[in-house]
Amino acid sequence: MQEDTEAVPDVMSPSATNDYTTLETAAHAQQKIEHQLTRWQAMKTYPKATAWILFNVWVMILVGYENQAGGIVISIPQFRKDFGYFYEGTYVLDATWQSMMSGIPTAAMAISGFGVSYFADKFGRKYILILMLAITIPSIAMEYVATDIRLFIAGKSVNALCLGCFSTLCLTYVSEISPMALRGWAVASCTLSMSIGPFVCYLINNTTATYTTRMAYRAVFIPQWVFSVSCLCLAPLLPESPYYHIKQGQTEKALNSLKKLYNSTQAQQQFALMKVTYDELQLITQSSTYLDCFKKKDIKRTFLVLFGMWTAPMCGLYFVAYYSTYYYQLAGMTTETSYQLSCGAQAMSMAGVITSWFIMDRFGRRPLMMMGLGSLVILNFIVAGAGTNTGNPVAMKVATAFMSMYNFFFNLGMGPMPSILSAEISSVSLRGKTISLGAILNFSLACMWSFVLPYMFNPDKANMGSKINFIFAGMSVVSLVVFYFFQPETAGRSFEEIDEMYDKNIPPRQWSSYKTEKQTLSEKGFLDLKAEASHIEFVDDD
């Protein structure tokens, strides 16, 4: 396999970078090579790229951590006592402040997640990432020292502006530098980071939640500094995205970035693949604006990406993320037991993501989505039905048990899919903008639920409990139907192949068996270059 990966002409010479035929042949050969690599082979072949993928996953932990920290503090008795009021034997936080505490930061994430693509395309991914990491440190301090709910919300909102940028920047960067054999794993790993953060949150609060001082909830913010500072120390070493330089017409800088991600030969191969993919798309899409995402050429792609981002919040994710621990307490569990169960649920989240790594390429994206959504339909109906009988302890235990199982099945199937769709379905020239549109839709829906859920769920308001899950069950059914008819199979497909099948309007259910012209050209280019390399070696030997 090592010999095969070196069967590529020198595309780094000035003449070759301008010779489109040479680049195209090398790109097709590289596609053939990557079709043959397993995930483990790809990790060993591309160790530097794998390391920088994992760095971006580490940055994304901040997003998952802060999202969970914002919801988990509501379930801490001391937080409700310090910032809330006494109601029927316990302390509760006013629904208005609850809505603002989660809704305003979520809106801030939506705005920054949408707007950051403009600055990332103008100044590059790396420098925007460094700036946002620097801002997270004082914003976390505002949350930590707050004794007034308004300062607490202000700190969360400033921090959320940074997190929204991470959500778009890291996913875009990972999708741009990942070899095809690692693309699904890399994007799914970003989903794992969204589970690691909450797991650390719950581990800390399992110890501190019963404290009768402000450290009961302040302790949860301390680890964020560890993540922020460690990321800030490494971020200046991050190679700029080669796609950014290619889009700027900076060939030499793109090649230099690739040398930091791959060895010399691999950098040639990846440059050829990226340059040809981008140039072909530029011939089709002359401009690159948000309006292009909704033109006939890309409307199907945009719809699927946006619907994937619509599905996650509409299937119950934010209710389980923000209110599951509080729900366990209202169902009759002690504070200690509710946090122990939540720790177990977050461990199941990570287990779901890790399990998805081993099946998403073997079984494909489409079957994984169908299985994941089917599981959510069943779980939501069980939780909703069992939770209607609040006076029955057995029924409430059933509801809490199946709510904790939600984490595993969501992250096994539905969890990584929206991010994978964003990375694989969107065209290269519009990827940053498509991901931004998906991010603002996702965060807008999260913002909506943040404002609405306290009034639906709180015991001093509508007190719906798990009957809310009937809504999520219905939305899961709608999503299952839509994805059945519109989601294509993209596992193991290069961006060029995906472009070709969209250009030819291949029905989504036929993608897995369809052989593209690009595949044929890849096989031919690979064989031609191997023959050329063998001929050169033979002449040299003489």
Side-chain angles (χ1 to χ4, degrees), residues 266-299:
Q266 293 164 356
Q268 298 177 49
Q269 298 166 328
Q270 294 296 330
F271 175 81
L273 185 56
M274 291 179 180
K275 186 77 166 77
V276 168
T277 301
Y278 180 74
D279 286 350
E280 288 181 350
L281 280 167
Q282 285 299 96
L283 292 175
I284 299 169
T285 308
Q286 294 300 318
S287 61
S288 181
T289 66
Y290 283 103
L291 184 61
D292 291 328
C293 298
F294 299 97
K295 291 182 178 178
K296 184 178 180 180
K297 177 65 183 173
D298 285 279
I299 185 64

Side-chain angles (χ1 to χ4, degrees), residues 168-225:
T168 298
L169 285 176
C170 293
L171 183 58
T172 301
Y173 186 89
V174 164
S175 66
E176 288 178 340
I177 72 163
S178 298
M180 185 174 63
L182 290 178
R183 196 173 59 216
W185 166 81
V187 177
S189 296
C190 291
T191 306
L192 177 63
S193 67
M194 302 296 285
S195 300
I196 294 175
F199 182 65
V200 175
C201 267
Y202 280 116
L203 283 179
I204 293 170
N205 272 269
N206 186 45
T207 302
T208 64
T210 55
Y211 289 3
T212 56
T213 66
R214 292 188 184 274
M215 283 304 295
Y217 51 88
R218 282 181 172 175
V220 79
F221 300 111
I222 296 174
Q224 288 191 77
W225 279 314

Side-chain angles (χ1 to χ4, degrees), residues 473-539:
M475 295 297 100
S476 300
V477 172
V478 172
S479 300
L480 185 61
V481 172
V482 170
F483 281 112
Y484 177 80
F485 286 105
F486 289 97
Q487 184 186 0
E489 181 53 71
T490 55
R493 297 289 190 178
S494 70
F495 291 134
E496 277 194 300
E497 291 175 69
I498 292 171
D499 293 338
E500 179 185 328
M501 287 190 279
Y502 267 114
D503 289 341
K504 293 182 176 179
N505 289 316
I506 305 301
R509 282 170 285 174
Q510 296 179 18
W511 275 43
S512 59
S513 59
Y514 186 81
K515 185 168 184 178
T516 65
E517 293 177 11
K518 299 298 182 185
Q519 283 179 280
T520 304
L521 289 172
S522 296
E523 292 169 2
K524 182 179 182 302
F526 178 73
L527 293 174
D528 288 347
L529 287 174
K530 282 200 72 175
E532 181 182 337
S534 299
H535 174 70
I536 292 171
E537 288 173 7
F538 179 76
V539 172

Side-chain angles (χ1 to χ4, degrees), residues 322-335:
Y322 291 154
Y323 287 94
S324 59
T325 307
Y326 195 18
Y327 177 80
Y328 300 151
Q329 293 173 7
L330 294 177
M333 293 185 178
T334 64
T335 301

Side-chain angles (χ1 to χ4, degrees), residues 255-271:
L255 291 170
N256 289 334
S257 287
L258 283 165
K259 287 187 212 177
K260 297 175 184 178
L261 294 164
Y262 303 95
N263 66 33
S264 180
T265 301
Q266 293 164 356
Q268 298 177 49
Q269 298 166 328
Q270 294 296 330
F271 175 81

Side-chain angles (χ1 to χ4, degrees), residues 48-58 174 177-179 182 185-186:
K48 289 189 287 186
T50 301
W52 285 116
I53 288 169
L54 292 175
F55 168 77
N56 279 268
V57 171
W58 185 254
V174 164
I177 72 163
S178 298
L182 290 178
W185 166 81

Side-chain angles (χ1 to χ4, degrees), residues 367-415:
L368 199 62
M369 180 70 91
M370 297 298 104
M371 179 188 67
L373 282 171
S375 301
L376 295 187
V377 170
I378 296 171
L379 286 172
N380 275 315
F381 273 122
I382 292 176
V383 171
T388 56
N389 190 1
T390 56
N392 187 333
V394 175
M396 295 305 294
K397 287 182 179 179
V398 170
T400 56
F402 278 92
M403 185 177 287
S404 64
M405 291 170 59
Y406 180 101
N407 297 59
F408 176 81
F409 286 100
F410 178 86
N411 286 288
L412 175 66
M414 179 60 212

